[in-house]
Amino acid sequence: MDTNKTTYNRRSFLKASLLSGGGMMLSVSWLSSFKAADKLEALNLPPQWSQLNAYIQITADNVVKLLCPNPEFGQNVMTSLPMILAEELDVDWKNVVVEMGHHDNTKLGPQFTGGSNSVRMYWKPLREAGAAARQMLREAAAQTWSVPVDDVTTKAGMLQHSSGKSAKYGEMATKAATLAVPKGMKLKAPKDFSIVRKSKKNVEGQKIVTGKPLFGLDYRQEGMLIAMIQHPPAFGMKLKSFDASQTLKMPGIKDVFSLKLYEDSFEQGGFDTRTFNDLLVVVGKTTWEVMNARKKLKVEWEPAGDTKDTMMGRGGKREVTVPGGLESTSAQLDKMAEYAKKSAQQLRKDGDPETAFKNAAQIIERTYNAPFLAHNCMEPMNFFAHVTEEKALLVGPLQAPGWTEPTLSKILKLPADKIEIQMTRMGGGFGRRAYGHYLTEAALISKKAKAPIKLIYTREDDMTYGIYRPMYTATYRAALDANKNLIAFHVKGGGIPEHAIHANRFPAGAVDNYLAEGWEIPSNITIGAFRAPRSNFNAAAEQSFLDEVAEAMGKDPIEFRLELLKRAKESPVGKNNEYDPDRYAGVLKLVKDKSGWNKPGNEKYHRGVAAYFCHNSYAAHVVDMVTRDGQPYVERVLSAMDCGIVINPDAATNMVQGAVVDGIGNAFYGALTHKAGAAEQSNFHNYRMIRHNEAPKQIEVHFVENDLDPTGLGEPPFPPVFGAVANALYKTTGKRHYNQPFKPVLDKRI
Amino acid sequence: MAIYNLKINGKIKQVNVDPSTPMLWVLRDHLDLPGTKYGCGIAQCGACKVHLNGVAVPSCQLPVSAVGKQAVTTIEGLSAKGDHPVQKAWLEHDVAQCGYCQAGQIMTAASLLKENPKPTDADIDAYMSGNICRCGTYLRIKEAIKSAAKEANTSSTRK
Ligand code: FES
Ligand code: FES
């Protein structure tokens, strides 16, 4: 068993892939699974590729195939990561075809889509892989032409020598693939980039607009059956007994059974979160038949009571009690208010906040609340599995194959090299698909049904048995002296089942006396990462609060933040401040400039500003609100981002625009509430999503220009949208809004 | 179960399914046309939109028994070469993020432009508001519809 399969290090996977894939790589197994890309078909290519490393293959005709290591969920990595390779390889983008790599951490690196890490983690390794392959091609040409390698230059997929000799990469690829892998190649200076920083269209655009089967839900195999799970009607319940006789009489139904996802002693990793452990499964021929037959199940459910999970984490093994009981949102809110008064865990303390608050001339204290959120990926959870005693094939939408594979290996009792995971394009992820329980469920169902199956969650399953954004609250306090100087800052945050506080983020480092505390209430409602975890609440609460503090101090909200950032830069308070004050101030200054903040010409707007740092990038937004038919609408948003080098500017702009729309939608409407353990929203008729007519008319995105290594972009623009919306809403309605979502409150008021 | 001869993308296709089966699942499970997407199953998201006699309708609410002789067009059949003005405009504006909703958006947009070749922003908002895009590509969709409208209008005046 290959136990190292999920460990990697940047150098070793480049090297390992080159060695193991070295030589003239005529990969038969790979070709058999090859779904002819349209472009390749059109070119009528010979099935012969020279593999220069795990990411790069070249044909004699100079078609360059680049493998995208990371799963694609709309962040456009299938375009941006190959762009990085192509840049250093020095090829003509027109000759590039891109394919999604299957899961193989030893060759393709971490393959994790999440945490805004794709570009950040692959930037250097992919540049190195591109540069090494280019060098091998130069070396091959130098040997063929008997000239010094230094005299061989490249240009857009061509090798050249001053003697006039030239060759396509493809002509030298076979030889190049036999050469040793060079190390320590000099990488291009940013000023020499010709592909990176130039907008490239989505490589799967044509397939998307013509409805090609790209997604997990579209995948099918001969003889494949459809499976659905009947979950308990509420969190806190479990399966007692069932009668499937009516279901089994329905057309197309093959089997009904129950099975356990994890055995009692199963040691869960951080991403093994699952909603329920007892699975009641219906298997049949087609989706519609299974949907209908599932309704005929007669099931008895019973209270689950307190249960224990064995968790494996950084601190080693620990037992966690998941409380029983049927939770309701109203009771949860009461409980949070009660916990907020109790003492909490200190997360950071600078100076003497207690004394400063005691001596304050004015204290501002505000409490913010936000509900559970469902991810609501447009493509509901699903996965294909074909598991036999010997091996497993799994195909579908997944953010983190490297985390799911070890779990699967344990549960199926199969070595990792007998498990093949293929990642399809995902119809959204937003963190939800980092939790691969649905893949494991599919695998167990396939094994028991002895057939290839596709597990499908209906929209209702997806929404009511989610792995939600937690429910959060935070109380912020600011102490001002008689001259209205900010002398102390205190945040005490809590959540169900975890709090959101990032203790070392702004304004930590900018205030002499600072205290951050956190507390948590356990729950049986399952939670997990949701686009910019924790930050998505912090930015809302803290950025609204700072707006209010600035107002109390009689300061402009942008100038107030800039003053704090100046302080954090010139004489930072405390240690471990996570942000770079210059870059933070940079996005604020850029958005100030681009929005014409405090400049004439914007009188028709009610303006709100917010900024935030998370996932290694900086974001600031100005939200311009108007009132139409008595309702507040975000008319325009101006955004400033600093994520270092922007690989694909137009696609990056698209992602920021999407994050802005997502933020407005969730701030206004997003909420998943519970009554007696059951989700009160089950589909889009009662879980309101932002729609065309509610989206801003304009979202203008500006990037700070610098040559810093690129950082994340999927998450960072999202959190501050909430704060900017809240601040604009205050200007629009004359009232501060502390509880998300804002729309229900507005509807009652207006 | 009953046998239906359906006119899909200009060809007659035969299926033997329960009369209640929505066209969404007939297309996806029986006719191997998975371009039409499942998003909600209750006419709330628009991911499943197809043209019924040229007009966009949610196929999740269209039982196979109600189709009769009416022509059904799916994203796979919107144009022979993927070059319908709306598809072209979608590529020009690089609209898609995850892409899952886009077949439904494109089918709805094509239907809008057929009914109303020069839609205003408000027309677009009203016609498209049944289509959710979780990734938030609404602005680009609007721009793409306007481009497609312009393209269609200039090419028709050229004729
Ligand atoms: S699936 Fe038909 S409208 Fe959502
Ligand atoms: S592009 Fe992802 S849902 Fe629209």
Side-chain angles (χ1 to χ4, degrees):
Chain A
M1 175 172 161
D2 184 1
T3 47
N4 282 333
K5 205 167 173 195
T6 52
T7 62
Y8 75 96
N9 96 28
R10 199 186 272 162
R11 283 244 49 105
S12 76
F13 78 73
L14 175 55
K15 196 167 110 210
S17 66
L18 285 158
L19 294 178
S20 62
M24 177 64 205
M25 185 77 183
L26 215 168
S27 170
V28 178
S29 63
W30 174 80
L31 283 168
S32 63
S33 66
F34 177 64
K35 294 193 195 67
D38 302 346
K39 198 164 178 177
L40 291 169
E41 242 170 25
L43 289 165
N44 192 21
L45 288 166
Q48 262 194 350
W49 295 90
S50 294
Q51 177 162 356
L52 295 179
N53 60 45
Y55 304 105
I56 301 171
Q57 300 176 27
I58 302 178
T59 67
D61 290 9
N62 228 23
V63 174
V64 180
K65 179 161 68 183
L66 303 178
L67 242 54
C68 174
N70 264 19
E72 170 69 66
F73 66 3
Q75 83 282 42
N76 215 7
V77 276
M78 276 189 79
T79 308
S80 57
L81 295 184
M83 282 172 73
I84 299 171
L85 278 168
E87 180 68 65
E88 294 291 342
L89 182 60
D90 193 12
V91 289
D92 187 343
W93 185 250
K94 283 203 291 293
N95 292 337
V96 168
V97 291
V98 176
E99 207 170 274
M100 183 64 219
H102 294 174
H103 174 237
D104 187 349
N105 290 149
T106 58
K107 289 188 180 152
L108 295 176
Q111 297 193 281
F112 167 59
T113 283
S116 295
N117 268 327
S118 297
V119 164
R120 189 169 78 96
M121 290 179 86
Y122 277 98
W123 171 243
K124 195 152 174 263
L126 293 184
R127 292 180 80 195
E128 284 170 351
R134 173 174 168 268
Q135 179 66 8
M136 289 156 77
L137 290 158
R138 288 173 71 208
E139 188 65 51
Q143 287 180 15
T144 308
W145 298 335
S146 304
V147 298
V149 67
D150 287 349
D151 294 351
V152 179
T153 57
T154 63
K155 196 173 178 206
M158 295 294 292
L159 292 147
Q160 290 161 339
H161 184 256
S162 51
S163 62
K165 286 196 171 72
S166 76
K168 291 177 188 164
Y169 277 10
E171 296 168 55
M172 296 292 169
T174 308
K175 187 177 181 71
T178 65
L179 301 176
V181 181
K183 280 204 189 120
M185 296 311 306
K186 196 166 170 278
L187 302 176
K188 277 190 180 176
K191 68 172 173 38
D192 297 326
F193 289 159
S194 63
I195 293 174
V196 164
R197 284 183 160 162
K198 307 273 184 305
S199 294
K200 302 277 178 246
K201 302 273 194 227
N202 187 332
V203 296
E204 295 207 301
Q206 183 72 28
K207 291 181 185 166
I208 290 168
V209 303
T210 51
K212 294 286 177 303
L214 293 171
F215 300 92
L217 213 56
D218 304 340
Y219 183 86
R220 58 191 302 138
Q221 263 197 13
E222 210 36 52
M224 179 184 90
L225 299 173
I226 300 293
M228 289 188 194
I229 297 170
Q230 178 67 50
H231 284 110
F235 286 97
M237 302 290 281
K238 66 172 186 181
L239 182 63
K240 187 177 178 200
S241 65
F242 66 94
D243 169 3
S245 52
Q246 294 304 311
T247 302
L248 286 164
K249 277 187 210 143
M250 297 287 284
I253 298 310
K254 299 276 183 192
D255 207 351
V256 177
F257 50 79
S258 70
L259 51 83
K260 231 185 174 101
L261 182 60
Y262 300 148
E263 294 303 328
D264 288 343
S265 58
F266 180 73
E267 294 171 354
Q268 291 183 45
F271 285 82
D272 288 330
T273 309
R274 52 34 175 139
T275 46
F276 295 97
N277 209 41
D278 294 320
L279 311 176
L280 175 54
V281 182
V282 181
V283 180
K285 268 173 33 197
T286 65
T287 315
W288 184 245
E289 286 168 326
V290 176
M291 269 182 190
N292 284 322
R294 187 174 65 160
K295 292 185 193 140
K296 305 275 180 193
L297 285 170
K298 291 205 178 71
V299 195
E300 267 196 83
W301 309 100
E302 62 184 354
D306 291 359
T307 53
K308 284 215 179 337
D309 279 346
T310 309
M311 305 298 294
M312 292 302 290
R314 275 190 213 121
K317 194 157 127 176
R318 67 200 161 91
E319 294 273 309
V320 177
T321 301
V322 180
L326 304 178
E327 298 180 28
S328 295
T329 303
S330 54
Q332 286 168 328
L333 282 167
D334 291 347
K335 207 167 178 183
M336 291 211 302
E338 179 196 320
Y339 268 63
K341 292 192 202 107
K342 297 185 187 176
S343 63
Q345 188 197 353
Q346 182 179 307
L347 304 169
R348 169 166 169 155
K349 186 171 169 177
D350 298 315
D352 183 356
E354 290 83 359
T355 307
F357 274 100
K358 214 176 288 162
N359 297 337
Q362 185 185 353
I363 293 175
I364 306 160
E365 177 177 327
R366 301 288 182 261
T367 296
Y368 300 81
N369 292 302
F372 289 109
L373 293 176
H375 295 80
N376 294 336
C377 304
M378 278 313 283
E379 179 193 18
M381 298 307 112
N382 69 88
F383 228 86
F384 169 86
H386 189 191
V387 176
T388 62
E389 291 301 322
E390 291 80 41
K391 60 179 183 171
L393 171 68
L394 296 119
V395 187
L398 184 69
Q399 286 178 233
W403 295 344
T404 304
E405 190 191 70
T407 300
L408 207 55
S409 173
K410 273 189 261 174
I411 287 181
L412 297 178
K413 301 183 182 66
L414 281 175
D417 63 356
K418 297 287 181 231
I419 297 174
E420 182 176 348
I421 302 178
Q422 298 179 11
M423 291 86 76
T424 59
R425 192 176 184 90
M426 289 176 262
F430 310 100
R432 178 64 182 88
R433 291 193 224 267
Y435 304 91
H437 64 95
Y438 52 93
L439 177 155
T440 312
E441 290 164 2
L444 286 172
I445 294 168
S446 167
K447 193 173 176 182
K448 177 124 183 189
K450 294 193 175 22
I453 63 104
K454 185 157 61 191
L455 171 66
I456 296 178
Y457 279 43
T458 60
R459 172 59 56 196
E460 288 80 3
D461 297 337
D462 189 277
M463 198 180 286
T464 55
Y465 314 116
I467 296 194
Y468 306 112
R469 197 283 299 266
M471 195 169 170
Y472 290 129
T473 185
T475 298
Y476 285 81
R477 293 196 304 149
L480 306 184
D481 68 12
N483 298 321
K484 297 213 178 286
N485 294 310
L486 176 64
I487 53 170
F489 191 92
H490 174 206
V491 54
K492 186 173 174 185
I496 300 177
E498 59 183 41
H499 70 72
I501 302 306
H502 286 290
N504 296 321
R505 296 236 179 115
F506 185 77
V511 190
D512 285 319
N513 303 296
Y514 175 91
L515 177 64
E517 302 173 286
W519 51 266
E520 300 179 336
I521 301 173
S523 169
N524 56 35
I525 295 171
T526 43
I527 61 98
F530 183 107
R531 194 174 205 166
R534 302 197 280 165
S535 303
N536 58 38
F537 173 67
N538 279 331
E542 163 210 300
Q543 290 292 312
S544 308
F545 184 65
L546 289 178
D547 204 68
E548 208 164 337
V549 174
E551 189 181 36
M553 295 166 80
K555 289 188 173 170
D556 174 82
I558 294 183
E559 293 312 318
F560 171 54
R561 287 171 173 83
L562 291 175
E563 278 169 25
L564 288 175
L565 288 161
K566 190 160 175 255
R567 165 73 208 273
K569 179 183 158 73
E570 286 170 359
S571 53
V573 181
K575 285 197 255 334
N576 304 325
N577 298 326
E578 284 176 15
Y579 57 96
D580 176 337
D582 276 340
R583 294 182 76 183
Y584 205 131
V587 290
L588 274 163
K589 286 176 189 158
L590 184 60
V591 87
K592 181 183 166 191
D593 176 37
K594 297 293 180 188
S595 68
W597 186 256
N598 287 340
K599 294 254 165 66
N602 297 301
E603 293 74 12
K604 64 174 169 174
Y605 300 119
H606 304 291
R607 319 196 87 184
V609 67
Y612 201 68
F613 158 80
C614 72
H615 298 86
N616 305 289
S617 295
Y618 300 79
H621 305 292
V622 167
V623 159
D624 286 343
M625 213 172 254
V626 294
T627 310
R628 281 199 298 271
D629 310 324
Q631 293 290 322
Y633 283 95
V634 178
E635 185 88 345
R636 182 173 77 165
V637 179
L638 298 116
S639 304
M641 299 295 311
D642 181 354
C643 57
I645 291 168
V646 180
I647 309 295
N648 192 3
D650 186 51
T653 300
N654 193 356
M655 190 149 59
V656 177
Q657 291 169 331
V660 167
V661 172
D662 190 6
I664 296 169
N666 274 299
F668 269 107
Y669 316 117
L672 196 278
T673 58
H674 291 90
K675 198 165 185 185
E680 292 187 288
Q681 295 75 27
S682 59
N683 204 323
F684 298 132
H685 67 295
N686 56 10
Y687 196 114
R688 187 161 167 190
M689 309 286 286
I690 188 166
R691 289 174 184 269
H692 278 273
N693 57 325
E694 296 143 349
K697 299 218 179 308
Q698 191 188 343
I699 302 172
E700 209 178 284
V701 181
H702 301 274
F703 292 94
V704 172
E705 281 176 36
N706 59 40
D707 288 344
L708 298 170
D709 283 355
T711 49
L713 197 60
E715 288 160 306
F718 181 62
V721 177
F722 292 76
V725 165
N727 297 338
L729 207 49
Y730 166 61
K731 293 284 171 57
T732 311
T733 64
K735 198 171 166 261
R736 294 275 175 190
H737 293 270
Y738 302 102
N739 299 318
Q740 292 173 37
F742 301 134
K743 190 70 170 90
V745 182
L746 289 164
D747 284 346
K748 269 169 231 153
R749 207 187 64 86
I750 293 178
Chain B
M1 299 295 233
I3 291 183
Y4 297 93
N5 289 305
L6 302 164
K7 196 171 165 201
I8 315 271
N9 297 333
K11 291 201 186 91
I12 301 295
K13 302 266 180 187
Q14 193 175 80
V15 289
N16 183 6
V17 293
D18 186 274
S20 71
T21 313
M23 275 309 291
L24 168 64
W25 299 113
V26 172
L27 294 167
R28 292 187 56 86
D29 282 0
H30 299 270
L31 296 174
D32 202 16
L33 289 168
T36 303
K37 297 292 186 252
Y38 165 70
C40 68
I42 59 164
Q44 288 288 322
C45 77
C48 66
K49 290 217 179 150
V50 298
H51 291 177
L52 190 64
N53 287 338
V55 178
V57 297
S59 64
C60 66
Q61 296 303 305
L62 177 65
V64 62
S65 57
V67 175
K69 292 195 178 357
Q70 301 177 89
V72 175
T73 308
T74 72
I75 185 76
E76 290 93 340
L78 182 64
S79 61
K81 292 188 185 141
D83 56 356
H84 185 282
V86 171
Q87 288 168 315
K88 286 200 323 211
W90 245 247
L91 293 177
E92 180 195 326
H93 290 271
D94 216 10
V95 170
Q97 285 187 38
C98 83
Y100 193 80
C101 73
Q102 300 296 350
Q105 307 274 6
I106 288 169
M107 295 309 283
T108 312
S111 172
L112 160 67
L113 292 178
K114 211 164 152 191
E115 284 177 28
N116 179 358
K118 289 181 191 166
T120 63
D121 278 17
D123 294 339
I124 296 174
D125 280 344
Y127 204 92
M128 299 298 296
S129 67
N131 289 70
I132 295 171
C133 175
R134 173 68 181 89
C135 299
T137 64
Y138 296 127
L139 275 82
R140 284 176 186 238
I141 290 174
K142 194 175 279 173
E143 290 310 309
I145 291 174
K146 289 189 206 165
S147 287
K150 220 192 250 158
E151 153 91 18
N153 291 335
T154 41
S155 54
S156 61
T157 42
R158 253 187 254 134
K159 270 178 212 159

